[in-house]
Amino acid sequence: MESSKNAASGLLELSEKDAMETQRLSGRRLWRKLFSRRRHNKTRTKGELPKVAASTSRSRALLQWLIHVPAITITTTVLALNFANVYWMDYGTLGQNTILGALQFAVKLHESFIVASLSTVMFHRMQYELAYREGVSFGTLLAGYQLNSVSYLFSAECWAGVCGPKSGAFSTGLHRWALSLTVFGAIILAALSGPASGIMLIPKLAWWLVSDPPSRLINYPIGSHQHMNMSSCVNELCGPSWLNPSSAWYSATIANTSLIWPESVTAAYLPAESCLTSMFQNNASCPAGGYAQLAQAGDIQLNPAKSKTQWNVTFRDDNIARFLASETNQTSWSISSSVSQVTAKLLGQIWSDIEQHTHINHPQLRGEAAQGSALLKPLVQVECAYAGNGSTTSTLTFPRNFFQLKPLKDSGGITWTRNTTILLTDSAFNDSKPMHFTWVNLRDYTPSPSLAAAFCWHNARPSDEYGELSWDGSLSLSEVNRNKWNSTALVTCSIDARWAPVKIWLDPRSDDIAHQDSPSVLGLLKSGVFQDLQPIHIDAGWAKSLEVIVGESEITAIESLLDAYWTSELDRSELTTDFSRALGMFITDGLARVGLREPLRVVLHFRRPTGGYASDHREWVQLRFTMYRLGYGYGKRGKLFSFAAAILLLHVAISIGHFIILAFWPWTSGSWATVSGIVALAMNSTPTEKLQNTCAGVTEGSTFNETVKIREVVDGHLELVFGEDNGYQGHYKKLRPGKQYGGLPGEKDAAATNYRAWLKTLN
């Protein structure tokens, strides 16, 4: 009746102008206008309407669950992209920064969806505990509103509410800690969702496998099972065969293993007689072909500002460069390694043939051994020691204290010795050379090193008006005062050489160097990767090619290098360490050039050779080359990937769990999901002595630990209730689903009067 009167009064208030206008309006517009006026009057006179605080409608519950869908959809999409290893764009693509910047907004949007999803779960749990179970602690009452506040986890409000003394029905251990775990877990998960989304959603800059490398005929139209002799191509690598566009790699067969990585290196592996003469510098395939680079690098490496643990020298031959690295972690010992020049050259040739057919911004070509084959590099350990003075020493002892590979590592008490007469001859004391060097064969010992060396140098240098003599040819021998040596120091070196497995790669947009996957071998030595490698026997006939005369002088290449590392500013341990480096690098570079000018046969395949071809070439080296590109993509990479995936999957699991709960127990509430809603409920609740002196703040943990719940204290009226009912059962009821609440208790309401009287007895 009241609403009908209000509507009628509203109609009477219409002006005559409104009445004339009404006549011109259609029926539909008239009813819309009247309905709007009626709603306006109703709102003005009635205010808020009573509301249903709880519902058991399954459709309403499932509709509420839809808040999880956006977050789950994005999470599922980014996880699928990462597990599928989807490549997106090359590094340096036009608009790259704009795209990556836009993805930052997508990350924030994803985070917001996850927080909204977690908030729904939190509010559902807190509302259920407050209205249908035995309540929560006062300190956790507002936890659902603080998902974005990690500081809440460190507040007295949180810890007192969670860990304070047990009280009331909320004291049940499992119930209490389950709710506390929900609060802590939701806040931490919300805090981590942003970084996790960023890790998964923003593509990673990395090297990605090219699944469809360029297809073309390389150099000559020869069938895939044919091969070419390198010597018939003017000693250039000939590239036979078709490449398969659907394959992610190329297969190459390159000569016999023994031609490139022989177990015994003899004079038969010297490519030309000129390698034993002073003309060796004109032939890069000679073992001493890298002498000039090593001699030049000596002055650079001895600079005090350079690293004392690792030296690097770059060799550039055949339009491709390679690194030679020498490392040490012990005095008087070093280990050196380098990519073989043959494989480096093949890598460069393959790239030059396919370069014009690829449009990748930043490609990388990688080479490794195919299954059942090997791709090797020279690995050389050298240990040197001061063996005494030439005038007092009769026996040369070769060191073996720091070798780190078997069998030399476990050789027991074996001592390698030779008489000093192999080195100290009359000519060693009667000429102007500052150093005398000789190779030593210790193969009569078991185990034995690959090779050994001994040399002597004179502590006093010949000098003249030009100062100290440098053996670079700037002074002729006739200008040197002979026979002015004060004493002769003896040095011995033991050499252990192996062929070690390696993977190589070329980054042509950055440099033209054939890199090796792990140029630092010290870590690999400790891991035991090289323990099963077999020693190489180096014959003195091959080693003589490193002892050739330099220019018109009397000094040899190896003596020149060793002398370049001599300086009076270093003590014996530093000198022997540098000698081990010089000797190790020279031998390593020489081994890296083995087979460089042999009549090698190379054939590229679009698949691994099978059938008769494979059986006829069992000893041939099978290599596999793959192409990568630098760019952005999604993949299971990085140490944080698993962590980020776990965070996102945990949220998905929580959302699915929430769906199951709502499907079987569809209790939901649309009330108190905002701070204003809970504040309105608190203001309409009867004050309690338990909150005495809290109007200016709460500081006591016992207050935060009080149990609080939502109850119907009188018919249709809900309040926040602290503590237990203490026997007041008449109007202290849990919420009933589907019932409307909202009325305030009046002064003449008997139930309200009884309730207030009961409260006074408690106070």
Side-chain angles (χ1 to χ4, degrees):
M1 293 294 293
E2 183 70 16
S3 61
S4 299
K5 292 179 181 180
N6 289 337
S9 63
L11 290 173
L12 292 175
E13 292 176 1
L14 288 173
S15 63
E16 293 182 1
K17 183 177 181 180
D18 290 334
M20 295 176 64
E21 180 182 357
T22 300
Q23 295 177 3
R24 294 192 299 267
L25 293 174
S26 64
R28 183 178 179 182
R29 295 180 63 192
L30 173 63
W31 283 107
R32 184 180 300 170
K33 188 175 182 70
L34 292 176
F35 179 75
S36 176
R37 179 62 59 87
R38 183 177 182 273
R39 288 289 302 271
H40 171 73
N41 291 333
K42 182 176 181 179
T43 302
R44 183 176 59 188
T45 57
K46 280 287 191 178
E48 293 282 343
L49 295 176
K51 302 173 184 66
V52 175
S55 170
T56 55
S57 170
R58 182 169 281 102
S59 59
R60 179 177 178 178
L62 297 180
L63 186 64
Q64 186 184 76
W65 183 86
L66 292 179
I67 189 67
H68 300 294
V69 172
I72 292 178
T73 301
I74 298 176
T75 296
T76 304
T77 302
V78 297
L79 285 175
L81 290 173
N82 280 276
F83 279 98
N85 290 308
V86 175
Y87 183 78
W88 192 0
M89 62 179 176
D90 281 353
Y91 176 75
T93 299
L94 184 64
Q96 167 188 299
N97 293 334
T98 302
I99 295 173
L100 295 177
L103 288 176
Q104 297 285 350
F105 289 96
V107 168
K108 187 61 181 178
L109 185 64
H110 187 205
E111 178 188 8
S112 300
F113 285 144
I114 293 177
V115 172
S117 172
L118 292 172
S119 298
T120 300
V121 176
M122 275 287 293
F123 283 129
H124 179 256
R125 179 64 190 271
M126 298 298 288
Q127 290 165 348
Y128 184 75
E129 295 290 339
L130 285 167
Y132 204 70
R133 298 194 67 178
E134 300 307 321
V136 300
S137 64
F138 182 46
T140 58
L141 176 63
L142 300 179
Y145 304 102
Q146 305 195 63
L147 283 184
N148 285 326
S149 177
V150 179
S151 61
Y152 170 74
L153 297 178
F154 304 97
S155 65
E157 177 182 5
C158 176
W159 284 98
V162 170
C163 304
K166 300 177 181 180
S167 63
F170 187 58
S171 63
T172 305
L174 183 60
H175 174 214
R176 180 189 188 95
W177 288 107
L179 184 61
S180 302
L181 182 62
T182 301
V183 172
F184 275 83
I187 293 178
I188 293 175
L189 193 60
L192 295 177
S193 62
S197 176
I199 293 172
M200 301 296 289
L201 201 151
I202 296 179
K204 305 168 185 64
L205 178 62
W207 291 102
W208 301 87
L209 178 65
V210 179
S211 58
D212 54 344
S215 171
R216 61 160 299 208
L217 186 67
I218 296 185
N219 283 348
Y220 299 96
I222 301 175
S224 61
H225 281 181
Q226 299 184 34
H227 51 263
M228 280 200 105
N229 192 311
M230 287 179 62
S231 61
S232 66
C233 298
V234 196
N235 288 328
E236 295 296 329
L237 283 172
C238 300
S241 177
W242 293 96
L243 300 181
N244 184 11
S246 62
S247 173
W249 50 273
Y250 311 128
S251 177
T253 303
I254 173 171
N256 192 294
T257 306
S258 61
L259 292 179
I260 311 174
W261 307 304
E263 296 179 359
S264 181
V265 184
T266 66
Y269 286 91
L270 296 177
E273 293 183 0
S274 60
C275 293
L276 296 174
T277 70
S278 59
M279 301 298 293
F280 73 92
Q281 296 189 70
N282 297 328
N283 191 343
S285 61
C286 289
Y291 163 76
Q293 290 98 319
L294 286 172
Q296 183 180 11
D299 296 334
I300 300 174
Q301 303 296 352
L302 290 175
N303 188 321
K306 291 293 181 180
S307 170
K308 297 299 183 182
T309 59
Q310 180 168 347
W311 291 358
N312 293 304
V313 180
T314 302
F315 296 90
R316 189 174 305 278
D317 298 298
D318 305 308
N319 298 320
I320 187 73
R322 57 182 171 84
F323 275 136
L324 191 159
S326 178
E327 302 171 87
T328 182
N329 59 4
Q330 300 282 353
T331 57
S332 306
W333 173 90
S334 68
I335 186 166
S336 305
S337 68
S338 173
V339 174
S340 290
Q341 187 64 29
V342 170
T343 52
K345 185 176 181 180
L346 175 61
L347 187 70
Q349 183 65 36
I350 291 177
W351 169 249
S352 65
D353 283 327
I354 65 176
E355 179 179 14
Q356 58 183 317
H357 297 275
T358 180
H359 302 288
I360 299 174
N361 289 347
H362 207 136
Q364 185 182 92
L365 188 63
R366 301 182 186 181
E368 61 182 338
Q371 185 176 3
S373 189
L375 175 59
L376 305 177
K377 67 175 180 179
L379 182 71
V380 179
Q381 297 182 89
V382 177
E383 183 178 348
C384 295
Y386 175 72
N389 189 282
S391 60
T392 59
T393 302
S394 60
T395 301
L396 297 175
T397 301
F398 294 84
R400 43 165 298 279
N401 298 317
F402 303 122
F403 284 123
Q404 300 184 33
L405 295 178
K406 299 177 181 179
L408 302 185
K409 181 180 180 181
D410 305 321
S411 56
I414 298 176
T415 302
W416 301 325
T417 61
R418 284 290 187 270
N419 193 283
T420 55
T421 56
I422 64 172
L423 178 65
L424 298 180
T425 61
D426 292 339
S427 62
F429 293 97
N430 295 323
D431 62 26
S432 59
K433 292 173 61 176
M435 180 174 294
H436 289 269
F437 180 94
T438 186
W439 297 109
V440 180
N441 187 341
L442 298 176
R443 299 294 291 179
D444 52 322
Y445 290 95
T446 303
S448 63
S450 301
L451 190 63
F455 57 93
C456 60
W457 90 94
H458 303 278
N459 293 336
R461 298 294 186 92
S463 60
D464 55 19
E465 59 180 340
Y466 299 102
E468 185 177 327
L469 175 63
S470 60
W471 296 94
D472 57 0
S474 60
L475 296 179
S476 64
L477 293 177
S478 60
E479 296 175 298
V480 179
N481 294 321
R482 299 173 179 268
N483 303 322
K484 291 187 178 180
W485 310 113
N486 292 335
S487 61
T488 301
L490 306 177
V491 177
T492 56
C493 297
S494 302
I495 303 158
D496 176 50
R498 320 274 177 121
W499 296 117
V502 67
K503 295 179 181 179
I504 59 177
W505 53 275
L506 177 67
D507 185 0
R509 296 290 188 261
S510 299
D511 53 49
D512 59 349
I513 298 174
H515 299 268
Q516 49 182 315
D517 57 344
S518 181
S520 176
V521 297
L522 289 178
L524 295 178
L525 281 175
K526 295 179 180 179
S527 68
V529 173
F530 298 141
Q531 289 302 326
D532 296 330
L533 303 180
Q534 295 301 312
I536 304 171
H537 168 58
I538 301 178
D539 183 73
W542 180 88
K544 278 290 183 181
S545 64
L546 302 178
E547 204 180 350
V548 289
I549 298 297
V550 179
E552 298 179 357
S553 67
E554 296 181 2
I555 195 168
T556 66
I558 187 65
E559 290 172 341
S560 173
L561 286 177
L562 292 172
D563 186 60
Y565 286 85
W566 186 94
T567 171
S568 59
E569 298 177 359
L570 300 179
D571 58 27
R572 286 179 180 175
S573 63
E574 292 176 314
L575 278 173
T576 52
T577 301
D578 287 348
F579 288 152
S580 72
R581 290 180 187 273
L583 192 57
M585 289 191 296
F586 202 19
I587 295 175
T588 300
D589 180 57
L591 292 174
R593 297 172 187 272
V594 170
L596 184 57
R597 285 297 182 239
E598 291 292 330
L600 301 181
R601 296 178 176 181
V602 181
V603 57
L604 296 179
H605 312 271
F606 58 80
R607 62 176 64 90
R608 185 175 176 79
T610 58
Y613 184 83
S615 61
D616 293 340
H617 301 82
R618 287 188 297 270
E619 299 300 321
W620 280 41
V621 181
Q622 301 289 332
L623 304 179
R624 189 173 77 167
F625 293 90
T626 51
M627 186 178 292
Y628 287 75
R629 66 200 306 169
L630 181 63
Y632 294 91
Y634 296 96
K636 304 183 292 295
R637 301 189 179 195
K639 297 180 180 179
L640 294 178
F641 172 81
S642 298
F643 172 76
I647 293 297
L648 298 183
L649 288 173
L650 179 59
H651 165 257
V652 173
I654 291 173
S655 301
I656 294 174
H658 192 220
F659 173 82
I660 295 173
I661 292 173
L662 293 178
F664 289 94
W665 299 278
W667 188 97
T668 58
S669 175
S671 304
W672 318 300
T674 62
V675 175
S676 58
I678 201 73
V679 169
L681 177 63
M683 294 182 67
N684 286 328
S685 300
T686 305
T688 173
E689 288 291 330
K690 295 181 181 293
L691 295 181
Q692 182 71 27
N693 300 322
T694 60
C695 61
V698 181
T699 57
E700 295 297 326
S702 58
T703 304
F704 287 123
N705 196 46
E706 285 288 342
T707 301
V708 60
K709 64 195 74 174
I710 298 176
R711 290 295 183 263
E712 182 182 6
V713 296
V714 295
D715 188 39
H717 177 64
L718 302 176
E719 291 188 5
L720 281 175
V721 178
F722 279 75
E724 302 304 311
D725 59 0
N726 293 331
Y728 186 77
Q729 300 292 344
H731 298 280
Y732 195 67
K733 302 177 182 178
K734 296 180 180 179
L735 275 68
R736 287 188 296 171
K739 182 177 179 179
Q740 290 188 337
Y741 296 94
L744 293 175
E747 292 294 332
K748 298 181 180 181
D749 190 320
T753 302
N754 293 336
Y755 178 63
R756 293 191 184 93
W758 171 73
L759 288 176
K760 289 181 180 180
T761 62
L762 296 179
N763 297 333

